[in-house]
Amino acid sequence: MSTDEDRERLAGHLAALPVRELVDVLRRVLPHFEQEAYGMRTALTLANVTWYEDDVDPGLDVELVAWPDRDHYGGELGPDQGLWENGRCPRCDVEVTSNAKRAHCPYCGTACALT
């Protein structure tokens, strides 16, 4: 078991990472918390949430953060540009975002081509 100080130190290290490196670390951790029971599968994922304060169409936009396709990027994490690439998972039909145009859905692992 870790202490509050241990967790705070870890949080400080994670907060210091650029987004693409933080996403890569979480890609290695979050899948360990998947569960299957009663015919359902649940998974922890990272999401990017945007609130639009628009008079015509206000609302919340939630996108799952897709893992960059490291094979496509020669083992690297893709461009260091923030979460600017968007699209849909062709299998889950969920909205995803990534720093890379080629990424994998964090829920099902399907390759996604983002724009």
Side-chain angles (χ1 to χ4, degrees):
M1 188 64 60
S2 60
T3 65
D4 283 339
E5 292 80 18
D6 293 335
R7 290 187 297 277
E8 188 63 34
R9 188 171 27 260
L10 178 58
H13 290 301
L14 293 173
L17 293 174
V19 168
R20 69 183 187 151
E21 291 182 26
L22 175 64
V23 168
D24 187 58
V25 169
L26 294 176
R27 173 189 64 83
R28 299 163 193 237
V29 175
L30 293 178
H32 293 280
F33 296 93
E34 291 180 5
Q35 296 180 348
E36 291 192 41
Y38 307 107
M40 297 182 299
R41 176 177 165 256
T42 61
L44 287 179
T45 64
L46 181 63
N48 189 52
V49 180
T50 305
W51 173 256
Y52 293 98
E53 293 187 22
D54 187 321
D55 291 338
V56 176
D57 192 19
L60 197 63
D61 183 27
V62 179
E63 301 167 302
L64 298 186
V65 177
W67 319 127
D69 182 347
R70 294 189 69 167
D71 290 337
H72 179 76
Y73 293 102
E76 298 297 321
L77 302 175
D80 187 11
Q81 63 177 1
L83 301 174
W84 290 106
E85 305 298 339
N86 306 92
R88 296 191 81 78
C89 172
R91 183 174 178 197
C92 298
D93 197 37
V94 65
E95 291 188 40
V96 294
T97 187
S98 181
N99 63 288
K101 287 190 178 288
R102 299 281 297 272
H104 292 278
C105 174
Y107 181 74
C108 72
T110 298
C112 301
L114 309 179
T115 59

